[in-house]
Amino acid sequence: MGQMMSAMKPEKCSRREFLRWAGSLSLGTVVFSLVGCDTGGMESDPDRGNPPGEETGITIEGNVVTLDLTGSVARRVAEPGGFLHIDAADMLVVNVNGTIRAFSAICTHQGCEIRDFQNNLFTCWCHGSQFDTDGQVVRGPASSPLPEYTVERNGNIVRITKR
Ligand code: FES
């Protein structure tokens, strides 16, 4: 049973993580375990990706993510130091001294989904690359900055356009 459990697909994982996971398993195991997803403790986001929804204040339409800062989840970035990882949009949102900034959550090293933000640094769990709140690399192995997205704010409504 232990082996079976370790082969189960993570409950919530990015396409890249799924493909990496699936590639490590036999086809029979993949077919058997196409239910649920658990990243086996590799993920630090306790909310499993902050799903969009009216209550959460996160709306995703095409390449535009709209945040209502009164929403139950989006409100986290209403104040300086606030951070959101939106898995469904592969996006990191952070409030830097009152200015909301948004970046791609896809690590520029080998494409892992970045979920951690501590001490003003985004950290990739795969190989430890770190990026500052300008998206610039402060620790490798990544060598390229995180792409930044356009943010327009009108009161409590924040519109983020992915490029
Ligand atoms: S994929 Fe992020 S550090 Fe390697």
Side-chain angles (χ1 to χ4, degrees), residues 65-104:
V65 174
T66 304
L67 303 178
D68 177 345
L69 300 183
T70 65
S72 62
V73 174
R75 71 173 46 153
R76 290 188 208 148
V77 290
E79 300 297 329
F83 165 69
L84 266 181
H85 162 246
I86 306 173
D87 190 46
D90 293 331
M91 182 179 288
L92 304 167
V93 185
V94 63
N95 185 320
V96 183
N97 300 321
T99 300
I100 293 179
R101 301 182 72 170
F103 300 91
S104 167

Side-chain angles (χ1 to χ4, degrees), residues 26 31 37 59 71 73-74 103 107-108 120 134 143 160:
S26 70
V31 171
C37 207
T59 304
V73 174
F103 300 91
C107 182
T108 56
N120 288 320
D134 291 321
S143 58
I160 303 165

Side-chain angles (χ1 to χ4, degrees), residues 112-124:
C112 288
E113 183 93 11
I114 299 172
R115 300 183 174 93
D116 279 339
F117 180 70
Q118 286 187 344
N119 301 320
N120 288 320
L121 294 173
F122 302 108
T123 301
C124 179

Side-chain angles (χ1 to χ4, degrees), residues 107 109-112 124 126-129 141:
C107 182
H109 177 227
Q110 289 183 355
C112 288
C124 179
C126 280
H127 312 100
S129 290

